[in-house]
Amino acid sequence: MGDESAERRPAGELEAEVLAALWAAGEPLTPGGVRKALGVPLARTTVTTILSRLHEKGTVGRTRSGRGYAYAPTEDAPGLTARRMHSELAKDEDRGAVLARFVSQLNDEDEQLLRALLDDGEAG
C-alpha cells in the first residue's frame, strides 16, 4: 500500500490551509484558484472535496462561476474561532463550569482583555 499514512496531514490542517488561501485572496476563488494559491501539488478533486466540506459546515459560501463554483469565507478568522468556541460550549450541559474553567485558565493579559470587553458590553 505504500507509505501514504506518513504523508497524511493531521485532520483539519488542509481545511485550515484552504481557508487561509481564501482569506488571503480577498475574493471568491474557484477550486483551481485555491489550488494555485496553495502552491502545493494537490489534485483538483481534493481541493473541491475540501471546499464542499467547508461549505457544508457553513464556513464558506459559494456562487456560480461557469460550470462550477467560486468559494469565499463566510467570516474572518476571529469570527470562525468564536463560532468554534460557541460550538464547543454548546456540547456541554454545564456551561457555567465550562466557562469558569476557561476563565480560570486565562493568563493575566487575556483575563484583563476579557474584563474590558465585558465592561464595554455593559456600557453599550
Side-chain angles (χ1 to χ4, degrees), residues 24-61:
E27 63 182 9
L29 294 177
T30 63
V34 171
R35 190 171 156 228
K36 185 176 179 180
L38 291 172
V40 293
L42 289 173
R44 188 175 184 281
T45 55
T46 299
V47 174
T48 301
T49 299
I50 295 300
L51 288 165
S52 295
R53 287 180 184 160
L54 290 170
H55 181 258
E56 289 171 9
K57 293 177 183 180
T59 307
V60 299

Side-chain angles (χ1 to χ4, degrees), residues 13-33:
E13 183 179 307
L14 188 52
E15 286 185 2
E17 289 178 21
V18 167
L19 277 170
L22 290 170
W23 284 318
E27 63 182 9
L29 294 177
T30 63

Side-chain angles (χ1 to χ4, degrees), residues 2-111:
D3 199 19
E4 291 176 26
S5 62
E7 296 177 20
R8 288 209 137 185
R9 297 167 192 246
E13 183 179 307
L14 188 52
E15 286 185 2
E17 289 178 21
V18 167
L19 277 170
L22 290 170
W23 284 318
E27 63 182 9
L29 294 177
T30 63
V34 171
R35 190 171 156 228
K36 185 176 179 180
L38 291 172
V40 293
L42 289 173
R44 188 175 184 281
T45 55
T46 299
V47 174
T48 301
T49 299
I50 295 300
L51 288 165
S52 295
R53 287 180 184 160
L54 290 170
H55 181 258
E56 289 171 9
K57 293 177 183 180
T59 307
V60 299
R62 67 184 183 190
T63 55
R64 274 281 178 203
S65 177
R67 294 186 331 201
Y69 294 99
Y71 296 83
T74 56
E75 52 199 336
D76 60 8
L80 180 59
T81 300
R83 183 161 34 128
R84 287 178 178 158
M85 292 169 70
H86 279 284
S87 176
E88 288 301 313
L89 182 60
K91 291 178 184 177
D92 199 298
E93 290 183 25
D94 192 351
R95 294 169 70 96
V98 173
L99 287 170
R101 183 76 47 94
F102 176 77
V103 170
S104 72
Q105 295 176 359
L106 293 174
N107 63 35
D108 290 342
E109 184 178 321
D110 287 341
E111 183 178 346

